[in-house]
mmCIF file of all heavy atoms in Angstrom:
data_model
loop_
_atom_site.group_PDB
_atom_site.id
_atom_site.type_symbol
_atom_site.label_atom_id
_atom_site.label_comp_id
_atom_site.label_asym_id
_atom_site.label_seq_id
_atom_site.Cartn_x
_atom_site.Cartn_y
_atom_site.Cartn_z
ATOM 1 N N PRO M 1 3.256 -19.037 4.983
ATOM 2 C CA PRO M 1 2.376 -19.910 4.230
ATOM 3 C C PRO M 1 1.097 -19.097 3.811
ATOM 4 O O PRO M 1 0.764 -18.081 4.421
ATOM 5 C CB PRO M 1 2.002 -20.946 5.264
ATOM 6 C CG PRO M 1 2.123 -20.323 6.562
ATOM 7 C CD PRO M 1 3.156 -19.237 6.448
ATOM 8 N N GLY M 2 0.420 -19.608 2.779
ATOM 9 C CA GLY M 2 -0.890 -19.015 2.435
ATOM 10 C C GLY M 2 -0.741 -17.617 1.852
ATOM 11 O O GLY M 2 0.328 -17.160 1.412
ATOM 12 N N ASN M 3 -1.877 -16.889 1.903
ATOM 13 C CA ASN M 3 -1.906 -15.528 1.328
ATOM 14 C C ASN M 3 -1.174 -14.513 2.248
ATOM 15 O O ASN M 3 -1.291 -14.583 3.442
ATOM 16 C CB ASN M 3 -3.391 -15.095 1.161
ATOM 17 C CG ASN M 3 -3.833 -15.377 -0.258
ATOM 18 O OD1 ASN M 3 -3.034 -15.489 -1.187
ATOM 19 N ND2 ASN M 3 -5.131 -15.489 -0.416
ATOM 20 N N VAL M 4 -0.537 -13.614 1.600
ATOM 21 C CA VAL M 4 0.198 -12.553 2.357
ATOM 22 C C VAL M 4 -0.631 -11.286 2.218
ATOM 23 O O VAL M 4 -1.026 -10.905 1.059
ATOM 24 C CB VAL M 4 1.586 -12.316 1.759
ATOM 25 C CG1 VAL M 4 2.257 -11.137 2.399
ATOM 26 C CG2 VAL M 4 2.471 -13.549 1.932
ATOM 27 N N PHE M 5 -0.903 -10.603 3.346
ATOM 28 C CA PHE M 5 -1.609 -9.328 3.249
ATOM 29 C C PHE M 5 -0.647 -8.225 2.818
ATOM 30 O O PHE M 5 0.491 -8.129 3.310
ATOM 31 C CB PHE M 5 -2.202 -8.909 4.657
ATOM 32 C CG PHE M 5 -2.854 -7.565 4.608
ATOM 33 C CD1 PHE M 5 -4.153 -7.413 4.129
ATOM 34 C CD2 PHE M 5 -2.157 -6.429 5.000
ATOM 35 C CE1 PHE M 5 -4.713 -6.149 4.108
ATOM 36 C CE2 PHE M 5 -2.717 -5.171 4.926
ATOM 37 C CZ PHE M 5 -4.033 -5.017 4.504
ATOM 38 N N LEU M 6 -1.073 -7.407 1.857
ATOM 39 C CA LEU M 6 -0.294 -6.245 1.398
ATOM 40 C C LEU M 6 -1.230 -5.165 1.010
ATOM 41 O O LEU M 6 -1.898 -5.261 -0.031
ATOM 42 C CB LEU M 6 0.655 -6.600 0.281
ATOM 43 C CG LEU M 6 1.668 -5.575 -0.081
ATOM 44 C CD1 LEU M 6 2.732 -5.382 1.083
ATOM 45 C CD2 LEU M 6 2.357 -5.848 -1.394
ATOM 46 N N GLY M 7 -1.335 -4.113 1.815
ATOM 47 C CA GLY M 7 -2.243 -2.988 1.540
ATOM 48 C C GLY M 7 -1.614 -1.962 0.571
ATOM 49 O O GLY M 7 -0.407 -1.758 0.649
ATOM 50 N N SER M 8 -2.453 -1.376 -0.202
ATOM 51 C CA SER M 8 -1.969 -0.389 -1.157
ATOM 52 C C SER M 8 -2.744 0.969 -0.977
ATOM 53 O O SER M 8 -3.780 1.171 -1.572
ATOM 54 C CB SER M 8 -2.257 -0.893 -2.575
ATOM 55 O OG SER M 8 -1.756 -0.037 -3.566
ATOM 56 N N PRO M 9 -2.171 1.834 -0.170
ATOM 57 C CA PRO M 9 -2.902 3.059 0.221
ATOM 58 C C PRO M 9 -2.875 4.173 -0.907
ATOM 59 O O PRO M 9 -3.530 5.173 -0.769
ATOM 60 C CB PRO M 9 -2.176 3.583 1.434
ATOM 61 C CG PRO M 9 -0.819 3.026 1.353
ATOM 62 C CD PRO M 9 -0.925 1.734 0.634
ATOM 63 N N HIS M 10 -1.994 3.975 -1.893
ATOM 64 C CA HIS M 10 -1.912 4.962 -2.963
ATOM 65 C C HIS M 10 -1.329 4.275 -4.209
ATOM 66 O O HIS M 10 -1.045 3.085 -4.112
ATOM 67 C CB HIS M 10 -1.017 6.115 -2.577
ATOM 68 C CG HIS M 10 0.431 5.851 -2.668
ATOM 69 N ND1 HIS M 10 1.324 6.562 -3.361
ATOM 70 C CD2 HIS M 10 1.162 4.890 -1.998
ATOM 71 C CE1 HIS M 10 2.526 6.036 -3.229
ATOM 72 N NE2 HIS M 10 2.483 5.040 -2.413
ATOM 73 N N ARG M 11 -1.254 4.975 -5.340
ATOM 74 C CA ARG M 11 -0.630 4.399 -6.499
ATOM 75 C C ARG M 11 0.110 5.427 -7.313
ATOM 76 O O ARG M 11 -0.144 6.609 -7.194
ATOM 77 C CB ARG M 11 -1.695 3.711 -7.355
ATOM 78 C CG ARG M 11 -2.715 4.639 -7.964
ATOM 79 C CD ARG M 11 -4.010 3.945 -8.361
ATOM 80 N NE ARG M 11 -3.804 2.705 -9.142
ATOM 81 C CZ ARG M 11 -4.775 1.891 -9.444
ATOM 82 N NH1 ARG M 11 -6.003 2.123 -9.076
ATOM 83 N NH2 ARG M 11 -4.509 0.826 -10.183
ATOM 84 N N LEU M 12 1.018 4.968 -8.144
ATOM 85 C CA LEU M 12 1.659 5.831 -9.150
ATOM 86 C C LEU M 12 1.249 5.390 -10.494
ATOM 87 O O LEU M 12 0.928 4.215 -10.720
ATOM 88 C CB LEU M 12 3.215 5.651 -9.047
ATOM 89 C CG LEU M 12 4.056 6.316 -7.964
ATOM 90 C CD1 LEU M 12 5.492 6.096 -8.262
ATOM 91 C CD2 LEU M 12 3.765 7.776 -7.866
ATOM 92 N N ASP M 13 1.130 6.347 -11.440
ATOM 93 C CA ASP M 13 0.793 6.004 -12.792
ATOM 94 C C ASP M 13 1.790 5.019 -13.388
ATOM 95 O O ASP M 13 3.000 5.089 -13.117
ATOM 96 C CB ASP M 13 0.765 7.283 -13.701
ATOM 97 C CG ASP M 13 -0.269 8.289 -13.248
ATOM 98 O OD1 ASP M 13 -1.249 7.892 -12.595
ATOM 99 O OD2 ASP M 13 -0.151 9.461 -13.592
ATOM 100 N N ARG M 14 1.324 4.164 -14.248
ATOM 101 C CA ARG M 14 2.152 3.098 -14.804
ATOM 102 C C ARG M 14 3.436 3.662 -15.465
ATOM 103 O O ARG M 14 4.512 3.130 -15.346
ATOM 104 C CB ARG M 14 1.381 2.278 -15.801
ATOM 105 C CG ARG M 14 2.108 1.042 -16.286
ATOM 106 C CD ARG M 14 1.177 0.087 -17.002
ATOM 107 N NE ARG M 14 1.843 -1.194 -17.189
ATOM 108 C CZ ARG M 14 1.219 -2.328 -17.587
ATOM 109 N NH1 ARG M 14 -0.093 -2.306 -17.852
ATOM 110 N NH2 ARG M 14 1.869 -3.463 -17.750
ATOM 111 N N PRO M 15 3.370 4.800 -16.250
ATOM 112 C CA PRO M 15 4.546 5.255 -16.938
ATOM 113 C C PRO M 15 5.582 6.002 -16.073
ATOM 114 O O PRO M 15 6.640 6.363 -16.516
ATOM 115 C CB PRO M 15 4.070 6.162 -18.045
ATOM 116 C CG PRO M 15 2.687 6.565 -17.607
ATOM 117 C CD PRO M 15 2.183 5.508 -16.695
ATOM 118 N N THR M 16 5.196 6.226 -14.737
ATOM 119 C CA THR M 16 6.124 6.979 -13.878
ATOM 120 C C THR M 16 6.970 5.988 -13.009
ATOM 121 O O THR M 16 6.699 4.782 -13.015
ATOM 122 C CB THR M 16 5.346 7.906 -12.944
ATOM 123 O OG1 THR M 16 4.562 7.142 -12.092
ATOM 124 C CG2 THR M 16 4.484 8.846 -13.716
ATOM 125 N N SER M 17 7.949 6.557 -12.343
ATOM 126 C CA SER M 17 8.808 5.764 -11.468
ATOM 127 C C SER M 17 8.844 6.356 -10.063
ATOM 128 O O SER M 17 8.403 7.486 -9.878
ATOM 129 C CB SER M 17 10.181 5.630 -12.037
ATOM 130 O OG SER M 17 10.794 6.928 -12.206
ATOM 131 N N GLY M 18 9.434 5.633 -9.117
ATOM 132 C CA GLY M 18 9.690 6.195 -7.821
ATOM 133 C C GLY M 18 8.966 5.546 -6.665
ATOM 134 O O GLY M 18 8.551 4.359 -6.772
ATOM 135 N N ILE M 19 8.835 6.284 -5.563
ATOM 136 C CA ILE M 19 8.334 5.758 -4.303
ATOM 137 C C ILE M 19 6.916 5.261 -4.329
ATOM 138 O O ILE M 19 6.007 5.992 -4.703
ATOM 139 C CB ILE M 19 8.481 6.875 -3.212
ATOM 140 C CG1 ILE M 19 9.968 7.126 -2.930
ATOM 141 C CG2 ILE M 19 7.780 6.435 -1.935
ATOM 142 C CD1 ILE M 19 10.203 8.306 -2.010
ATOM 143 N N VAL M 20 6.757 3.968 -3.961
ATOM 144 C CA VAL M 20 5.463 3.406 -3.692
ATOM 145 C C VAL M 20 5.455 2.805 -2.304
ATOM 146 O O VAL M 20 6.288 2.011 -1.987
ATOM 147 C CB VAL M 20 5.069 2.351 -4.771
ATOM 148 C CG1 VAL M 20 3.712 1.696 -4.420
ATOM 149 C CG2 VAL M 20 5.032 2.918 -6.105
ATOM 150 N N ILE M 21 4.428 3.187 -1.507
ATOM 151 C CA ILE M 21 4.359 2.696 -0.102
ATOM 152 C C ILE M 21 3.251 1.639 -0.030
ATOM 153 O O ILE M 21 2.159 1.863 -0.469
ATOM 154 C CB ILE M 21 3.990 3.884 0.829
ATOM 155 C CG1 ILE M 21 5.031 4.979 0.750
ATOM 156 C CG2 ILE M 21 3.757 3.387 2.249
ATOM 157 C CD1 ILE M 21 4.640 6.286 1.349
ATOM 158 N N TYR M 22 3.612 0.463 0.464
ATOM 159 C CA TYR M 22 2.662 -0.623 0.731
ATOM 160 C C TYR M 22 2.632 -0.820 2.249
ATOM 161 O O TYR M 22 3.633 -0.533 2.989
ATOM 162 C CB TYR M 22 3.108 -1.944 0.080
ATOM 163 C CG TYR M 22 2.977 -1.872 -1.440
ATOM 164 C CD1 TYR M 22 4.096 -1.874 -2.236
ATOM 165 C CD2 TYR M 22 1.723 -1.883 -2.057
ATOM 166 C CE1 TYR M 22 3.994 -1.860 -3.642
ATOM 167 C CE2 TYR M 22 1.585 -1.918 -3.473
ATOM 168 C CZ TYR M 22 2.746 -1.842 -4.221
ATOM 169 O OH TYR M 22 2.633 -1.876 -5.619
ATOM 170 N N THR M 23 1.548 -1.397 2.743
ATOM 171 C CA THR M 23 1.430 -1.665 4.168
ATOM 172 C C THR M 23 1.320 -3.188 4.399
ATOM 173 O O THR M 23 0.763 -3.929 3.578
ATOM 174 C CB THR M 23 0.226 -0.976 4.790
ATOM 175 O OG1 THR M 23 -0.974 -1.536 4.240
ATOM 176 C CG2 THR M 23 0.243 0.494 4.537
ATOM 177 N N LYS M 24 1.864 -3.647 5.528
ATOM 178 C CA LYS M 24 1.842 -5.072 5.837
ATOM 179 C C LYS M 24 0.678 -5.444 6.817
ATOM 180 O O LYS M 24 0.437 -6.586 7.044
ATOM 181 C CB LYS M 24 3.137 -5.466 6.523
ATOM 182 C CG LYS M 24 4.407 -5.385 5.621
ATOM 183 C CD LYS M 24 5.604 -5.867 6.370
ATOM 184 C CE LYS M 24 6.814 -5.903 5.579
ATOM 185 N NZ LYS M 24 7.990 -6.427 6.352
ATOM 186 N N THR M 25 0.008 -4.416 7.384
ATOM 187 C CA THR M 25 -1.082 -4.680 8.251
ATOM 188 C C THR M 25 -2.295 -3.857 7.949
ATOM 189 O O THR M 25 -2.177 -2.787 7.324
ATOM 190 C CB THR M 25 -0.668 -4.370 9.755
ATOM 191 O OG1 THR M 25 -0.388 -2.951 9.854
ATOM 192 C CG2 THR M 25 0.555 -5.162 10.148
ATOM 193 N N GLU M 26 -3.502 -4.279 8.345
ATOM 194 C CA GLU M 26 -4.740 -3.524 8.150
ATOM 195 C C GLU M 26 -4.665 -2.173 8.854
ATOM 196 O O GLU M 26 -5.160 -1.183 8.348
ATOM 197 C CB GLU M 26 -5.917 -4.340 8.672
ATOM 198 C CG GLU M 26 -6.194 -5.604 7.858
ATOM 199 C CD GLU M 26 -7.094 -5.321 6.653
ATOM 200 O OE1 GLU M 26 -7.328 -4.161 6.307
ATOM 201 O OE2 GLU M 26 -7.563 -6.321 6.053
ATOM 202 N N LYS M 27 -4.125 -2.189 10.105
ATOM 203 C CA LYS M 27 -4.029 -0.964 10.872
ATOM 204 C C LYS M 27 -3.224 0.109 10.114
ATOM 205 O O LYS M 27 -3.580 1.268 9.975
ATOM 206 C CB LYS M 27 -3.437 -1.194 12.225
ATOM 207 C CG LYS M 27 -3.465 0.015 13.108
ATOM 208 C CD LYS M 27 -2.597 0.068 14.373
ATOM 209 C CE LYS M 27 -2.390 -1.147 15.115
ATOM 210 N NZ LYS M 27 -1.704 -0.848 16.439
ATOM 211 N N ALA M 28 -2.074 -0.342 9.606
ATOM 212 C CA ALA M 28 -1.185 0.576 8.855
ATOM 213 C C ALA M 28 -1.862 1.076 7.584
ATOM 214 O O ALA M 28 -1.725 2.251 7.199
ATOM 215 C CB ALA M 28 0.157 -0.070 8.549
ATOM 216 N N LEU M 29 -2.612 0.193 6.930
ATOM 217 C CA LEU M 29 -3.314 0.557 5.712
ATOM 218 C C LEU M 29 -4.366 1.665 5.976
ATOM 219 O O LEU M 29 -4.407 2.670 5.225
ATOM 220 C CB LEU M 29 -3.982 -0.671 5.085
ATOM 221 C CG LEU M 29 -4.868 -0.363 3.883
ATOM 222 C CD1 LEU M 29 -4.067 0.269 2.700
ATOM 223 C CD2 LEU M 29 -5.553 -1.616 3.384
ATOM 224 N N LYS M 30 -5.117 1.478 7.035
ATOM 225 C CA LYS M 30 -6.159 2.435 7.336
ATOM 226 C C LYS M 30 -5.543 3.786 7.649
ATOM 227 O O LYS M 30 -5.971 4.837 7.154
ATOM 228 C CB LYS M 30 -6.946 1.943 8.610
ATOM 229 C CG LYS M 30 -8.036 2.868 9.036
ATOM 230 C CD LYS M 30 -8.873 2.204 10.151
ATOM 231 C CE LYS M 30 -10.030 3.076 10.616
ATOM 232 N NZ LYS M 30 -9.573 4.233 11.398
ATOM 233 N N ARG M 31 -4.453 3.825 8.426
ATOM 234 C CA ARG M 31 -3.843 5.114 8.754
ATOM 235 C C ARG M 31 -3.130 5.727 7.628
ATOM 236 O O ARG M 31 -3.153 6.981 7.488
ATOM 237 C CB ARG M 31 -2.949 4.856 9.999
ATOM 238 C CG ARG M 31 -3.650 4.564 11.257
ATOM 239 C CD ARG M 31 -2.737 4.320 12.412
ATOM 240 N NE ARG M 31 -3.479 3.941 13.626
ATOM 241 C CZ ARG M 31 -2.938 3.539 14.765
ATOM 242 N NH1 ARG M 31 -1.598 3.439 14.855
ATOM 243 N NH2 ARG M 31 -3.642 3.268 15.823
ATOM 244 N N MET M 32 -2.423 4.962 6.809
ATOM 245 C CA MET M 32 -1.717 5.550 5.645
ATOM 246 C C MET M 32 -2.763 6.081 4.617
ATOM 247 O O MET M 32 -2.532 7.057 3.957
ATOM 248 C CB MET M 32 -0.762 4.534 5.005
ATOM 249 C CG MET M 32 0.500 4.224 5.748
ATOM 250 S SD MET M 32 1.450 5.731 6.191
ATOM 251 C CE MET M 32 1.721 6.449 4.571
ATOM 252 N N SER M 33 -3.878 5.360 4.457
ATOM 253 C CA SER M 33 -4.921 5.840 3.461
ATOM 254 C C SER M 33 -5.452 7.155 3.983
ATOM 255 O O SER M 33 -5.670 8.066 3.139
ATOM 256 C CB SER M 33 -6.080 4.773 3.413
ATOM 257 O OG SER M 33 -5.594 3.541 2.880
ATOM 258 N N GLU M 34 -5.635 7.313 5.300
ATOM 259 C CA GLU M 34 -6.104 8.590 5.820
ATOM 260 C C GLU M 34 -5.040 9.646 5.601
ATOM 261 O O GLU M 34 -5.368 10.819 5.258
ATOM 262 C CB GLU M 34 -6.413 8.457 7.334
ATOM 263 C CG GLU M 34 -7.648 7.718 7.643
ATOM 264 C CD GLU M 34 -7.804 7.328 9.088
ATOM 265 O OE1 GLU M 34 -6.911 7.638 9.870
ATOM 266 O OE2 GLU M 34 -8.839 6.667 9.451
#
């Protein structure tokens, strides 16, 4: 229910394809961003 947390530690350019990593928790977001 409600809002779902989804962290985005990096991005790919719009015209490219492939691996994008998202995080489900704040802890994982902080560590993946680092």
Side-chain angles (χ1 to χ4, degrees):
N3 266 337
V4 174
F5 176 83
L6 190 69
S8 183
H10 77 124
R11 66 201 311 173
L12 282 186
D13 296 338
R14 190 168 193 168
T16 66
S17 58
I19 291 172
V20 176
I21 300 166
Y22 291 109
T23 66
K24 294 182 177 182
T25 62
E26 292 274 10
K27 186 196 323 191
L29 174 61
K30 181 173 180 289
R31 291 178 181 174
M32 285 307 303
S33 297
E34 286 168 359

